[in-house]
């Protein structure tokens, strides 16, 4: 009987030390949430996309929706240049633009320029301020600021080919 207990004890020890290590630990994160987008050519459904990553991979930051209801009045803009290169020849796309933002008010404004882009007949709005060399988060009274952006982005084979059309539709200045 003693030998049976010894055998059980040894088997338990062997089981404890043979458990998989945390080095192989993975978790699933949501890369893109499910969306339905309406455009001139109909409705597009984009399913949720997930990705398996190591357990120590940082959690993605939550994306907050843009509140365009707080858009600055007496605002205008002038597109100095807007160039999208779908394929630069080294498996990347490049977006370059300079847009003059005009605050036609008698007070300083603080906020973010929000660009609406038409990409292959799907429109989306976003702020490029975080990556802009001149973000224009503040514009003096009766003054202007040039929003300057120049970034090359690697192609992601999981997302398919880069868009063939990438045009600026409009610009708003959303107050903080």
């Amino acid at each position: 009987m003693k030998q049976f207990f010894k055998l059980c004890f040894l088997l338990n020890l062997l089981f404890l030390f043979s458990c998989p290590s945390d080095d192989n630990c993975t978790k699933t994160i949501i890369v893109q949430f499910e969306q339905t987008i309406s455009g001139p050519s109909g409705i597009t459904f984009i399913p949720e996309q997930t990705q398996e990553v190591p357990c120590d991979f940082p959690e993605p930051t939550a994306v907050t929706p843009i509140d365009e209801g707080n858009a600055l009045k007496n605002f205008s803009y002038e597109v100095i240049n807007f160039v999208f290169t779908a394929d630069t020849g080294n498996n990347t796309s490049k977006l370059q633009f300079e847009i003059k933002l005009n605050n036609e008010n008698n007070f300083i404004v603080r906020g973010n320029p929000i660009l609406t882009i038409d990409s292959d007949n799907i429109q989306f709005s976003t702020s490029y301020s975080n990556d802009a060399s001149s973000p224009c988060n503040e514009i003096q009274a009766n003054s202007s600021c040039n929003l300057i952006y120049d970034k090359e982005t690697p192609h992601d084979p999981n997302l398919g080919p880069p868009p063939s059309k990438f045009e600026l539709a409009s610009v708003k200045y959303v107050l903080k």
Side-chain angles (χ1 to χ4, degrees), residues 18-58:
S18 67
C19 289
S21 69
D22 286 343
D23 294 341
N24 297 330
C25 177
T26 60
K27 64 181 177 181
T28 303
I29 62 170
I30 298 172
V31 179
Q32 177 177 321
F33 289 99
E34 180 179 297
Q35 298 179 45
T36 304
I37 301 171
S38 298
S41 59
I43 296 175
T44 302
F45 174 74
I46 301 172
E48 179 179 275
Q49 292 183 3
T50 60
Q51 184 175 358
E52 195 168 312
V53 296
C55 284
D56 61 352
F57 190 83

Side-chain angles (χ1 to χ4, degrees), residues 31-32 46-47 49 51 120 153-163:
V31 179
Q32 177 177 321
I46 301 172
Q49 292 183 3
Q51 184 175 358
D120 289 339
T153 307
H155 292 161
D156 184 344
N158 296 325
L159 299 177

Side-chain angles (χ1 to χ4, degrees), residues 145-158:
C145 177
N146 285 10
L147 177 65
I148 301 170
Y149 182 89
D150 185 348
K151 188 170 182 183
E152 200 165 328
T153 307
H155 292 161
D156 184 344
N158 296 325

